[in-house]
Amino acid sequence: MIKILMIEDDLELAEILSEFLEQFEMSVKTCAEPFLGLSELEVNKYDLVILDLSLPGLDGLQVCKEIRKKHDVPIIISSARHDLNDKVNAFELGADDYLPKPYEPKELVVRIKSHLRRKNASFALSAPASKTTSTDAQKDIVCDDFAHQITFKGEPLNLTIAEYDILRYMLKKQGGAISREEFIWGCESINDTSTNKSIDVIIGRIRAKLGEDPKNPRYIHAIRGVGYKLEQ
């Protein structure tokens, strides 16, 4: 069974979603209080978190930030707040997806499966032990598809699913300009509700993990009016 933690104070909605998800072999634990949800993550292991933003006692954005400090579990924001700033802040704090309420439960199932497929890709592949070439090994940033891991100067990068997909896409098109729109349709974990600003936020997080100075980048370069390119 897929184990999902839902931090949601609308218990009626939580019950509806839980019953629907159970049809797809997904077991849901609901916490109406954000602090209980954070405590639950410390005690038990979950495959994915569904997080509301309007919560009692602690805003969901802060909850997202606290989760990401300690856990790399995929986070899907499920919220009636449609403000662009909330979406941007959610991605900036480490969320992997943003699903505005109301939505069809079937769409939630699709999003969950997509994120878990990316998260568990290394267990589904039947390719040889490594796709890393000797040429790749000489570069600072290297993607090993089989291990579902990107390393920087030999050390694994702790990336969210969206960060992994975008950096992997840039590595595949190394040296070429990539528009923000291309990231949205070219990366599986980036959904069509994402905006150009969302892409900028995710790339900003990647740059930070690479130790990049955005004003004088070594690897990820902004191309005015187009998007980004990666060089190494």
Side-chain angles (χ1 to χ4, degrees), residues 22-227:
E22 285 175 2
Q23 302 175 59
F24 301 89
E25 298 186 346
M26 300 180 188
S27 173
V28 181
K29 167 72 174 180
T30 299
C31 292
E33 297 286 337
F35 293 104
L36 290 178
L38 291 171
S39 298
E40 181 66 27
L41 273 176
E42 295 298 316
V43 176
N44 296 303
K45 181 176 176 58
Y46 288 90
D47 299 301
L48 185 138
V49 174
I50 300 171
L51 174 64
D52 187 20
L53 292 188
S54 299
L55 295 167
L58 188 66
D59 187 78
L61 291 174
Q62 185 62 35
V63 177
C64 181
K65 181 179 179 180
E66 294 301 316
I67 292 174
R68 193 52 77 217
K69 283 180 181 178
K70 298 182 179 180
H71 310 281
D72 64 354
V73 61
I75 302 172
I76 297 179
I77 301 297
S78 166
S79 177
R81 284 157 52 174
H82 293 198
D83 186 78
L84 178 59
N85 288 331
D86 282 327
K87 292 183 180 181
V88 170
N89 288 335
F91 282 114
E92 195 166 36
L93 293 170
D96 295 285
D97 207 342
Y98 197 108
L99 194 54
K101 297 176 183 175
Y103 52 81
E104 291 293 330
K106 180 178 281 189
E107 183 177 1
L108 178 60
V109 172
V110 171
R111 300 284 183 94
I112 291 172
K113 287 184 175 180
S114 175
H115 287 290
L116 293 181
R117 184 165 61 249
R118 302 302 303 167
K119 181 71 174 176
N120 300 318
S122 60
F123 300 104
L125 293 172
S126 56
S130 176
K131 288 292 186 179
T132 303
T133 66
S134 58
T135 302
D136 288 337
Q138 297 171 8
K139 297 178 179 178
D140 289 343
I141 309 170
V142 177
C143 180
D144 185 337
D145 277 334
F146 183 74
H148 195 71
Q149 179 69 67
I150 296 177
T151 58
F152 177 57
K153 296 183 178 179
E155 295 296 324
L157 287 171
N158 182 22
L159 302 171
T160 67
I161 295 173
E163 292 166 2
Y164 176 89
D165 275 357
I166 283 183
L167 185 52
R168 178 177 180 271
Y169 196 84
M170 283 194 285
L171 286 166
K172 286 172 62 178
K173 301 196 67 172
Q174 200 161 160
I178 307 170
S179 70
R180 294 171 179 83
E181 292 76 13
E182 184 177 347
F183 282 120
I184 292 172
W185 61 255
C187 297
E188 186 176 351
S189 66
I190 308 298
N191 62 75
D192 55 12
T193 65
S194 298
T195 64
N196 289 349
K197 181 63 175 176
S198 301
I199 299 299
D200 292 339
V201 167
I202 296 170
I203 287 179
R205 296 195 327 232
I206 295 171
R207 277 175 157 170
K209 292 179 179 182
L210 294 174
E212 286 260 67
D213 177 2
K215 295 181 179 179
N216 186 29
R218 164 67 178 85
Y219 304 101
I220 299 175
H221 302 267
I223 306 201
R224 186 181 297 274
V226 179

